Amino acid sequence: MKALRWHGRKDVRLDELPEPTAAPGEVVIRVAACGICGSDLHEYLHGPLYIPKAPHPLTGVVPPVTLGHEFSGRVVEVGAQVETARRGDRVTVNPCLLCGECAWCRRGQFNYCAKLGSLGLSRDGALAPLVAVPAYGCHVLPPGVDDQQGASVEPLAVTVHAYRRARLRGDERVAIVGAGPIGLLMLQVLKAKGAGWVVVIEPREERRRLAGDLGADAVLDPEAQDPGRAVAQLTGDERVAVAFECVGSAPAFATALRVAGKGGRVVLVGLVPETVQTNLLGLVAHEKEIVGSSAYVDEFPEAIDLLVEGRVRIDPLVTARVSLDEALPRGLEALLRREEKHVKILVAPD
Amino acid sequence: MKALRWHGRKDVRLDELPEPTAAPGEVVIRVAACGICGSDLHEYLHGPLYIPKAPHPLTGVVPPVTLGHEFSGRVVEVGAQVETARRGDRVTVNPCLLCGECAWCRRGQFNYCAKLGSLGLSRDGALAPLVAVPAYGCHVLPPGVDDQQGASVEPLAVTVHAYRRARLRGDERVAIVGAGPIGLLMLQVLKAKGAGWVVVIEPREERRRLAGDLGADAVLDPEAQDPGRAVAQLTGDERVAVAFECVGSAPAFATALRVAGKGGRVVLVGLVPETVQTNLLGLVAHEKEIVGSSAYVDEFPEAIDLLVEGRVRIDPLVTARVSLDEALPRGLEALLRREEKHVKILVAPD
C-alpha cells in the first residue's frame, strides 16, 4: 500500500509499504478519513518535534514514519487478546501510545505517560489505507457521527481538554488567538459550555468570517489594529480572563499574553517551536498565568457527545477532501501556502 | 527629619525632610522597625521598576521618594475622618495605595487596582522616623507580636498570598528557589499549612542551614549539583508540584521551571527584572504552568495570626538591626555585597 511518510524536515514522501497486520492487543483499521493537523505542518517545517530523533522508548521507531493521527475508519482485522473491538466496528482512535506501567498511567494521567508516544508521530499513522492500532485507543462512533466528524474527534478532544485546563468560571470573557481548525473548534466548545463572551483574533478574512458564523461575539484582524488595545476597548479595560493560543507561534503567544487581563490565564494549545522572550515583571504585576495544555486524558467520549448533540459543527471547517496521491501537493503543501480558503483538509486514503 | 530616599538607579541618599502631618483619612506613625526588602535592592540596582517614572496616577509622586514599605510603629497623629485607628495604637501597615473606585477595588481585588501604588515606592515610605499613611492600611498588632515581627507582616503576607496562588493540594511536593527572607517565610507558611515535602534550593551555605532549621525536608546547593537532576532523584522522577521562585532572577526562574514536574506550577514571587527566554514546547508537553503572584489582597490578618500562633519565626531571619544613619552602608549595601550572614536587615529609624 501507499503511505505518506515523514523522512526529515521538508521531506515527506509517498512510499510503498507492506500492509500492516494486527499484533496481539491490536486491530487493523481501514481508514475512511484522516485530517492533516497543524502539528503535521510543524513537523514538516520545524521537525522532528514529537517525531523521535532516537528510537522511541515505547515503539522503537525512528523516521521515516507514516503521518496521520486524526482519523476514522472501520476495523478490518482483530488481533489476539482483543475484547473491546470487533471486525466491522466504525471507530475513531485516540492515537496516544501508553506504557500502562508508569506512575502517571496508573493514576490515569495518560498524557503524562513516561514513554508517551503517538500514532502518526512515533509509530506509523493513518495517512495510508490501513493502520494498525492498539485496541485500547478505539472509540466506536455512534450512527449519527459520520466519517468526517469521526476524523475530527481527536482535535475536538484537544480543545475539550484545553477548556478544562483553563478553569473558566461562569461568564468570564475569552479570547481565541488563531481561527484555524483548533481555534474554531475551541470557539464551538466554549459556546457549547456557555462562555460569556468570545473574541477571535485572526488575520485571514475567510477564517474571521467562519468564526463569526460559528458564534464568535467579536472578531479582530491583528494586522489591521492592535489586538491588545482593541480588546481593552471592547471590555472596558478589563481584557479577557482566558486567552487560548491556538496558532503555535511567538507572535500569537505575545498577543495572547497582551489580551489577557489581570489574573488572566493564557492557555497554550498550539505548539510554539521557537524560544520566546517574556517580560516576567508584567506577568507578576498583573498576576497572569501561562498554562500548558497537551493532548487529552479522557476527553474522547465527551468530544463524541458534542458531535452527537450537534453542538459542534465540523462540515464548515472541512474545505477540501483529497486522495492519498494528492495529500502532499493538495493537502500539506496547500496548507503551508496558507491558501485563504483552507481550514481543515481531510485525506480519504482508500 | 532624616529619610532614606531613592533618587535614581544606584543613587540612594539620606536627605533632610520636613516631618509629615496627617491629612484627612490618614495617620502619622512613628516607625519602630522597617525592613529592607528585596524589591528595594531591585529598585536600587535596576529601578525604576515600581517607582514611578512619571507622576504616579494616584499620588502624583515622582522620585526622589523615601523607601521602606515593611514596617511597624505607633500611631502618633490621627487625621480627620479617621475612625479605625487611634493615637497610641501599635500597628503594621499594608502599604498598598488604592483608588477605591475602579472595578477591581469594588470587587475587593485590591492588588489589581487600576492606579495601584505603594508606600515606599510611589509615595514616601518608612525609612524615616515618621511616615504618613492612609488609615485603611493599618492593622493593630496584638500584644504577642513585637515590633520586629510587626515589621515582617508585609513580606509574610506576600508568601501567604503566593501560597494561595499555588492551589496546593494535600501532600504535593514543593520546591523553594532561594532562601532569602521571602523563601524562608514561604517555607514556614508551607510547613504551617501542611505541605508534604519541601526542598529548598539556595547557593549560600548559611541560608541553607537556616532552611534546614526552619523545617525544610531537603536542601540543595545549585552550584554544587544540577538542581533538576537532584530533585528528580529525590522524588522518583516526579519532581515537584509547585516551585516558588523567590529570588527574582532569570537563572532562578529557569531552575524553578526545571524542578517542576508534569502538571507543575511555577509561582513567581520574586521580581525578575530581565526578559527571560523560555522554550514553550517543554512547558506544553509537560502541561506546566507559570503563575504570577503579586503582593496580597487581604492576607495581613492571616499573617498576623501565624505570628500570634508561633507558627512562623521571625527572629532567626533578622541578622542585623541598624540605625537610619547606617541604613545605606550597613543595610542596603551590606545586602548588595551578598554578605554570607545577612538575611533580613531591620532599620530602627528613631
Side-chain angles (χ1 to χ4, degrees):
Chain A
M1 67 177 190
K2 286 181 179 164
L4 196 70
R5 311 197 92 203
W6 191 97
H7 284 256
R9 197 175 295 177
K10 296 185 183 168
D11 180 9
V12 169
R13 308 177 199 167
L14 199 59
D15 290 341
E16 191 67 33
L17 278 190
E19 292 190 352
T21 53
E26 301 198 342
V27 301
V28 173
I29 290 167
R30 184 163 295 279
V31 181
C34 180
I36 297 174
C37 170
S39 55
D40 296 327
L41 307 184
H42 277 303
E43 293 289 354
Y44 183 85
L45 289 175
H46 311 289
L49 302 172
Y50 283 102
I51 288 174
K53 296 173 194 71
H56 189 275
L58 194 63
T59 65
V61 165
V62 288
V65 65
T66 304
L67 294 170
H69 59 272
E70 308 177 349
F71 62 100
S72 61
R74 203 174 280 275
V75 175
V76 291
E77 186 193 342
V78 176
Q81 300 156 30
V82 172
E83 296 182 357
T84 53
R86 284 172 306 186
R87 196 181 154 91
D89 279 351
R90 280 180 67 245
V91 295
T92 189
V93 179
N94 178 332
C96 286
L97 305 171
L98 307 171
C99 79
E101 296 167 354
C102 68
W104 293 279
C105 279
R106 286 199 304 268
R107 282 186 217 128
Q109 294 178 310
F110 301 120
N111 57 342
Y112 297 172
C113 169
K115 295 183 178 173
L116 185 66
S118 174
L119 295 167
L121 293 165
S122 37
R123 175 177 164 171
D124 283 342
L127 282 170
L130 296 165
V131 59
V133 310
Y136 62 72
C138 293
H139 293 261
V140 172
L141 292 173
V145 176
D146 66 22
D147 293 339
Q148 177 160 301
Q149 292 171 312
S152 302
V153 171
E154 194 272 352
L156 184 55
V158 166
T159 60
V160 173
H161 183 67
Y163 172 81
R164 292 186 186 173
R165 293 282 296 157
R167 312 190 312 275
L168 206 70
R169 291 184 296 268
D171 59 351
E172 288 183 319
R173 296 186 189 91
V174 179
I176 295 171
V177 183
I182 290 290
L184 293 170
L185 292 172
M186 196 77 241
L187 168 62
Q188 296 184 77
V189 168
L190 285 161
K191 297 309 282 188
K193 300 280 190 181
W197 183 85
V198 183
V199 59
V200 175
I201 301 165
E202 164 63 50
R204 295 197 234 177
E205 187 180 354
E206 179 64 16
R207 290 181 172 199
R208 285 199 305 279
R209 193 192 56 72
L210 258 174
D213 290 350
L214 293 170
D217 297 284
V219 294
L220 287 176
D221 177 359
E223 292 172 358
Q225 56 192 317
D226 176 80
R229 219 167 296 164
V231 169
Q233 277 177 351
L234 287 166
T235 57
D237 274 340
E238 297 213 15
R239 307 194 183 213
V240 300
V242 179
F244 291 94
E245 200 283 345
C246 297
V247 176
S249 78
F253 170 67
T255 296
L257 206 50
R258 280 206 65 205
V259 301
K262 291 169 181 177
R265 288 86 75 196
V266 172
V267 180
L268 303 182
V269 194
L271 302 177
V272 181
E274 66 267 51
T275 296
V276 300
Q277 302 222 335
T278 310
N279 172 351
L280 296 181
L281 280 180
L283 191 139
V284 167
H286 291 174
E287 292 202 325
K288 296 185 187 180
E289 300 179 31
I290 300 171
V291 179
S293 183
S294 180
Y296 22 74
V297 181
D298 56 1
E299 286 86 351
F300 269 58
E302 182 170 348
I304 293 170
D305 285 348
L306 285 166
L307 294 169
V308 170
E309 294 161 7
R311 304 180 79 173
V312 172
R313 294 167 60 200
I314 300 301
D315 291 358
L317 276 55
V318 178
T319 48
R321 291 179 64 100
V322 302
S323 70
L324 191 56
D325 286 336
E326 302 166 320
L328 187 56
R330 293 190 51 211
L332 203 61
E333 290 175 354
L335 289 168
L336 288 169
R337 282 192 301 270
R338 296 172 61 86
E339 289 177 9
E340 174 71 30
K341 70 166 185 174
H342 282 309
V343 179
K344 176 58 78 182
I345 297 180
L346 289 185
V347 180
D350 199 27
Chain B
M1 66 176 189
K2 285 181 180 166
L4 196 70
R5 312 197 92 202
W6 191 96
H7 284 256
R9 196 175 294 176
K10 297 184 184 168
D11 180 8
V12 169
R13 308 178 200 166
L14 200 60
D15 291 341
E16 191 66 34
L17 277 190
E19 293 191 352
T21 53
E26 302 197 341
V27 301
V28 173
I29 291 168
R30 183 163 296 279
V31 180
C34 180
I36 298 174
C37 170
S39 55
D40 296 326
L41 307 184
H42 277 303
E43 294 290 354
Y44 183 85
L45 288 175
H46 311 289
L49 302 172
Y50 284 101
I51 287 175
K53 296 174 195 71
H56 189 274
L58 194 62
T59 65
V61 164
V62 288
V65 64
T66 304
L67 294 170
H69 59 272
E70 308 179 347
F71 62 100
S72 61
R74 201 174 282 274
V75 175
V76 291
E77 185 192 342
V78 177
Q81 299 156 34
V82 172
E83 296 182 358
T84 53
R86 283 173 306 186
R87 196 181 153 91
D89 279 352
R90 279 180 67 246
V91 296
T92 187
V93 178
N94 179 332
C96 287
L97 304 170
L98 307 170
C99 78
E101 296 168 353
C102 69
W104 293 280
C105 278
R106 285 198 305 268
R107 281 188 219 125
Q109 294 177 310
F110 300 120
N111 56 343
Y112 297 172
C113 169
K115 295 182 178 174
L116 185 65
S118 174
L119 295 168
L121 294 165
S122 35
R123 176 178 163 169
D124 283 342
L127 283 172
L130 296 165
V131 58
V133 311
Y136 61 73
C138 292
H139 293 261
V140 171
L141 292 173
V145 177
D146 66 22
D147 294 338
Q148 177 160 300
Q149 290 171 314
S152 301
V153 170
E154 194 271 354
L156 184 55
V158 166
T159 61
V160 173
H161 183 67
Y163 172 81
R164 292 186 185 172
R165 294 282 297 158
R167 311 189 312 276
L168 206 71
R169 290 184 296 271
D171 60 350
E172 289 183 317
R173 295 185 189 92
V174 179
I176 295 171
V177 183
I182 290 290
L184 292 170
L185 291 172
M186 195 78 241
L187 168 63
Q188 296 184 76
V189 168
L190 284 161
K191 298 308 284 187
K193 300 280 192 182
W197 183 85
V198 183
V199 59
V200 174
I201 301 166
E202 164 62 51
R204 294 196 234 176
E205 188 180 354
E206 179 62 17
R207 291 181 172 198
R208 285 200 305 279
R209 191 191 56 72
L210 258 175
D213 289 350
L214 293 170
D217 297 284
V219 294
L220 287 175
D221 177 359
E223 292 172 358
Q225 56 190 318
D226 176 80
R229 218 168 294 162
V231 169
Q233 277 177 352
L234 287 167
T235 57
D237 272 340
E238 297 212 17
R239 307 194 182 215
V240 300
V242 178
F244 292 93
E245 200 282 345
C246 297
V247 176
S249 78
F253 170 67
T255 296
L257 206 50
R258 281 205 65 207
V259 301
K262 292 170 181 177
R265 287 89 76 198
V266 172
V267 179
L268 303 182
V269 194
L271 301 177
V272 182
E274 64 267 54
T275 296
V276 299
Q277 302 222 338
T278 311
N279 173 351
L280 295 180
L281 280 180
L283 191 140
V284 168
H286 290 174
E287 291 202 326
K288 295 185 187 180
E289 299 179 33
I290 299 171
V291 178
S293 184
S294 181
Y296 22 74
V297 181
D298 56 1
E299 286 86 354
F300 269 58
E302 182 169 347
I304 292 171
D305 285 348
L306 285 166
L307 294 169
V308 170
E309 294 161 9
R311 305 180 78 173
V312 172
R313 293 168 61 199
I314 300 300
D315 291 357
L317 277 56
V318 178
T319 48
R321 292 179 64 100
V322 301
S323 70
L324 191 57
D325 286 337
E326 302 165 320
L328 188 57
R330 293 190 51 210
L332 203 61
E333 290 174 355
L335 289 167
L336 288 169
R337 282 193 300 271
R338 295 171 62 86
E339 288 177 10
E340 173 72 30
K341 70 165 186 173
H342 281 309
V343 180
K344 175 58 78 182
I345 297 180
L346 288 186
V347 179
D350 199 24

